[in-house]
Protein backbone atom coordinates (compact mmCIF):
# COMPACT_ATOMS: atom_id res chain seq x y z
CA UNK A 1 0.00 0.00 0.00
CA UNK A 2 1.45 3.33 -0.98
CA UNK A 3 1.62 6.35 1.25
CA UNK A 4 -0.92 8.29 -0.81
CA UNK A 5 -3.58 5.57 -0.38
CA UNK A 6 -3.23 5.58 3.40
CA UNK A 7 -3.43 9.36 3.77
CA UNK A 8 -6.38 9.86 1.42
CA UNK A 9 -9.44 11.39 3.05
CA UNK A 10 -12.73 9.54 2.62
CA UNK A 11 -15.09 11.00 0.04
CA UNK A 12 -18.22 12.84 1.07
CA UNK A 13 -20.28 9.86 -0.11
CA UNK A 14 -18.25 7.53 2.13
CA UNK A 15 -18.70 9.89 5.10
CA UNK A 16 -22.47 10.03 4.54
CA UNK A 17 -22.64 6.25 4.26
CA UNK A 18 -20.72 5.89 7.53
CA UNK A 19 -23.17 8.24 9.31
CA UNK A 20 -26.26 6.30 8.17
CA UNK A 21 -28.15 4.51 10.85
CA UNK A 22 -28.71 0.82 10.25
CA UNK A 23 -31.84 -0.90 11.50
CA UNK A 24 -31.08 -4.13 13.32
CA UNK A 25 -33.74 -6.48 12.00
CA UNK A 26 -34.25 -9.42 14.30
CA UNK A 27 -36.10 -12.40 12.96
CA UNK A 28 -38.18 -15.21 14.38
CA UNK A 29 -36.79 -18.14 12.42
CA UNK A 30 -37.24 -17.79 8.67
CA UNK A 31 -40.40 -15.67 8.78
CA UNK A 32 -40.10 -12.07 7.55
CA UNK A 33 -39.76 -9.22 10.01
CA UNK A 34 -42.35 -6.46 9.92
CA UNK A 35 -40.70 -3.07 9.33
CA UNK A 36 -43.09 -0.39 10.40
CA UNK A 37 -43.48 2.97 12.08
CA UNK A 38 -45.67 3.46 15.10
CA UNK A 39 -48.07 5.63 13.10
CA UNK A 40 -51.82 5.62 13.09
CA UNK A 41 -54.11 3.67 10.81
CA UNK A 42 -52.78 0.69 8.87
CA UNK A 43 -49.36 0.88 10.53
CA UNK A 44 -50.75 0.67 14.06
CA UNK A 45 -53.17 -2.12 13.08
CA UNK A 46 -50.34 -4.24 11.64
CA UNK A 47 -48.15 -3.55 14.66
CA UNK A 48 -50.87 -4.67 17.08
CA UNK A 49 -51.53 -7.85 15.09
CA UNK A 50 -47.78 -8.57 14.79
CA UNK A 51 -47.34 -8.30 18.54
CA UNK A 52 -50.33 -10.59 19.15
CA UNK A 53 -49.05 -13.25 16.76
CA UNK A 54 -45.42 -13.04 17.90
CA UNK A 55 -43.94 -11.68 14.67
CA UNK A 56 -40.67 -9.78 14.92
CA UNK A 57 -41.06 -6.05 14.27
CA UNK A 58 -38.77 -3.04 13.97
CA UNK A 59 -38.69 0.31 12.24
CA UNK A 60 -37.89 3.99 12.22
CA UNK A 61 -40.12 6.59 13.85
CA UNK A 62 -40.00 10.40 13.69
CA UNK A 63 -37.93 12.02 16.41
CA UNK A 64 -39.98 13.18 19.37
CA UNK A 65 -42.04 9.97 19.41
CA UNK A 66 -42.77 9.02 22.99
CA UNK A 67 -41.20 5.77 24.08
CA UNK A 68 -40.22 4.41 20.67
CA UNK A 69 -39.31 1.05 22.21
CA UNK A 70 -36.35 -1.27 21.88
CA UNK A 71 -36.80 -2.22 18.23
CA UNK A 72 -37.67 1.26 16.94
CA UNK A 73 -35.13 3.97 16.20
CA UNK A 74 -35.83 7.70 15.91
CA UNK A 75 -34.94 9.65 12.77
CA UNK A 76 -33.14 13.00 13.08
CA UNK A 77 -36.27 14.98 12.11
CA UNK A 78 -39.85 15.05 13.33
CA UNK A 79 -41.21 14.73 9.79
CA UNK A 80 -42.96 11.41 9.25
CA UNK A 81 -41.92 11.19 5.60
CA UNK A 82 -38.29 10.62 6.62
CA UNK A 83 -39.29 7.65 8.77
CA UNK A 84 -41.32 6.33 5.83
CA UNK A 85 -38.33 6.73 3.50
CA UNK A 86 -35.97 4.97 5.91
CA UNK A 87 -38.47 2.13 6.51
CA UNK A 88 -38.82 1.55 2.76
CA UNK A 89 -35.04 1.57 2.39
CA UNK A 90 -34.51 -0.84 5.32
CA UNK A 91 -37.02 -3.43 4.10
CA UNK A 92 -36.90 -5.92 1.24
CA UNK A 93 -40.47 -5.38 0.01
CA UNK A 94 -43.36 -3.01 0.77
CA UNK A 95 -47.08 -3.66 1.05
CA UNK A 96 -49.36 -0.66 0.56
CA UNK A 97 -52.90 -0.93 1.93
CA UNK A 98 -55.50 1.63 0.82
CA UNK A 99 -59.32 1.82 0.79
CA UNK A 100 -59.54 1.74 -3.02
CA UNK A 101 -57.39 1.21 -6.12
CA UNK A 102 -56.04 4.79 -6.11
CA UNK A 103 -52.76 5.39 -4.30
CA UNK A 104 -52.56 8.60 -2.28
CA UNK A 105 -50.80 10.09 0.72
CA UNK A 106 -48.37 7.82 2.54
CA UNK A 107 -49.00 4.91 0.17
CA UNK A 108 -48.18 7.02 -2.89
CA UNK A 109 -45.02 8.38 -1.27
CA UNK A 110 -43.98 4.84 -0.27
CA UNK A 111 -44.49 3.63 -3.85
CA UNK A 112 -42.30 6.46 -5.14
CA UNK A 113 -39.54 5.51 -2.67
CA UNK A 114 -39.90 1.84 -3.65
CA UNK A 115 -39.41 2.76 -7.29
CA UNK A 116 -36.43 4.94 -6.48
CA UNK A 117 -34.75 2.21 -4.40
CA UNK A 118 -35.89 -0.51 -6.84
CA UNK A 119 -37.83 -2.40 -4.18
CA UNK A 120 -40.84 -4.56 -5.07
CA UNK A 121 -44.18 -3.36 -3.76
CA UNK A 122 -47.70 -4.79 -3.55
CA UNK A 123 -50.87 -2.69 -3.46
CA UNK A 124 -53.76 -4.18 -1.48
CA UNK A 125 -57.15 -2.52 -1.28
CA UNK A 126 -60.66 -3.46 -0.23
CA UNK A 127 -61.47 -4.70 -3.76
CA UNK A 128 -58.26 -6.75 -4.09
CA UNK A 129 -57.02 -8.76 -1.15
CA UNK A 130 -56.59 -12.39 -2.19
CA UNK A 131 -54.65 -14.43 0.42
CA UNK A 132 -53.37 -16.93 -2.17
CA UNK A 133 -52.00 -14.11 -4.35
CA UNK A 134 -50.24 -12.62 -1.30
CA UNK A 135 -48.71 -16.02 -0.43
CA UNK A 136 -47.40 -16.50 -3.96
CA UNK A 137 -46.13 -12.91 -4.15
CA UNK A 138 -44.23 -13.31 -0.88
CA UNK A 139 -42.96 -16.79 -1.77
CA UNK A 140 -41.50 -15.60 -5.10
CA UNK A 141 -39.64 -12.73 -3.42
CA UNK A 142 -38.64 -14.48 -0.16
CA UNK A 143 -38.28 -11.24 1.82
CA UNK A 144 -36.50 -11.11 5.17
CA UNK A 145 -38.33 -7.89 6.02
CA UNK A 146 -41.68 -6.46 4.93
CA UNK A 147 -42.65 -2.81 5.19
CA UNK A 148 -46.39 -2.19 5.59
CA UNK A 149 -47.97 1.24 5.27
CA UNK A 150 -51.15 2.80 3.98
CA UNK A 151 -54.19 4.80 4.94
CA UNK A 152 -54.41 6.85 8.10
CA UNK A 153 -56.79 6.11 10.97
CA UNK A 154 -59.88 7.87 9.56
CA UNK A 155 -59.76 5.68 6.43
CA UNK A 156 -58.28 2.53 7.95
CA UNK A 157 -61.54 1.45 9.62
CA UNK A 158 -62.63 -0.10 6.31
CA UNK A 159 -59.29 -1.88 5.90
CA UNK A 160 -59.36 -4.13 8.95
CA UNK A 161 -60.15 -7.21 6.84
CA UNK A 162 -57.34 -6.52 4.35
CA UNK A 163 -54.79 -6.02 7.11
CA UNK A 164 -55.95 -9.19 8.89
CA UNK A 165 -55.58 -11.23 5.68
CA UNK A 166 -52.02 -9.93 5.21
CA UNK A 167 -51.08 -10.60 8.82
CA UNK A 168 -52.63 -14.10 8.71
CA UNK A 169 -50.45 -14.92 5.70
CA UNK A 170 -47.37 -13.62 7.55
CA UNK A 171 -48.33 -15.58 10.68
CA UNK A 172 -48.68 -18.76 8.59
CA UNK A 173 -45.19 -18.17 7.24
CA UNK A 174 -43.96 -17.74 10.81
CA UNK A 175 -45.55 -21.04 11.90
CA UNK A 176 -44.10 -22.90 8.91
CA UNK A 177 -40.65 -21.46 9.53
CA UNK A 178 -40.58 -22.11 13.27
CA UNK A 179 -38.80 -25.32 14.28
CA UNK A 180 -41.11 -28.04 15.57
Amino acid sequence: MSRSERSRKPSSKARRKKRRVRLAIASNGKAPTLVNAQGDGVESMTLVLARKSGLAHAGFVPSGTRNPGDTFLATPTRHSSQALKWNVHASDVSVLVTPDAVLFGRALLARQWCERYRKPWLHLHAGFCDPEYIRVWLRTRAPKSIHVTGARAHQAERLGASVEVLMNVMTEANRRAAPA
Side-chain angles (χ1 to χ4, degrees):
M1 184 185 273
S2 70
R3 180 182 164 109
S4 63
E5 288 178 16
R6 280 184 279 151
S7 61
R8 184 184 301 165
K9 290 184 179 181
S11 67
S12 62
K13 185 176 181 180
R15 286 192 303 268
R16 280 193 314 267
K17 193 171 185 179
K18 188 176 180 180
R19 278 195 313 245
R20 273 189 209 136
V21 178
R22 295 274 182 221
L23 184 62
I25 298 179
S27 176
N28 293 350
K30 295 179 183 176
T33 300
L34 179 71
V35 176
N36 208 343
Q38 293 175 325
D40 61 343
V42 169
E43 293 175 352
S44 66
M45 288 169 39
T46 56
L47 194 56
V48 166
L49 292 172
R51 286 179 176 156
K52 281 183 184 176
S53 60
L55 290 173
H57 53 276
F60 290 103
V61 294
S63 100
T65 303
R66 288 187 187 177
N67 190 16
D70 296 338
T71 59
F72 292 94
L73 298 173
T75 61
T77 66
R78 291 182 175 264
H79 206 281
S80 62
S81 64
Q82 183 170 16
L84 178 70
K85 175 184 174 182
W86 286 17
N87 284 330
V88 168
H89 193 266
S91 64
D92 295 332
V93 299
S94 289
V95 179
L96 317 174
V97 186
T98 59
D100 51 19
V102 178
L103 285 173
F104 56 91
R106 263 194 289 206
L108 179 62
L109 188 58
R111 188 202 70 193
Q112 291 169 347
W113 284 118
C114 286
E115 290 172 352
R116 176 154 184 200
Y117 293 132
R118 296 183 181 147
K119 305 267 183 169
W121 56 277
L122 174 65
H123 181 203
L124 300 178
H125 53 86
F128 175 73
C129 191
D130 181 23
E132 188 56 35
Y133 183 82
I134 297 169
R135 277 186 206 97
V136 170
W137 190 82
L138 289 174
R139 207 175 308 131
T140 58
R141 283 149 185 85
K144 292 181 182 170
S145 58
I146 298 175
H147 172 243
V148 180
T149 192
R152 291 203 173 256
H154 67 282
Q155 297 164 330
E157 297 166 356
R158 301 182 291 171
L159 299 173
S162 300
V163 172
E164 285 183 26
V165 167
L166 173 65
M167 296 309 292
N168 287 339
V169 170
M170 288 179 65
T171 303
E172 283 176 21
N174 190 26
R175 283 192 207 116
R176 278 187 271 129

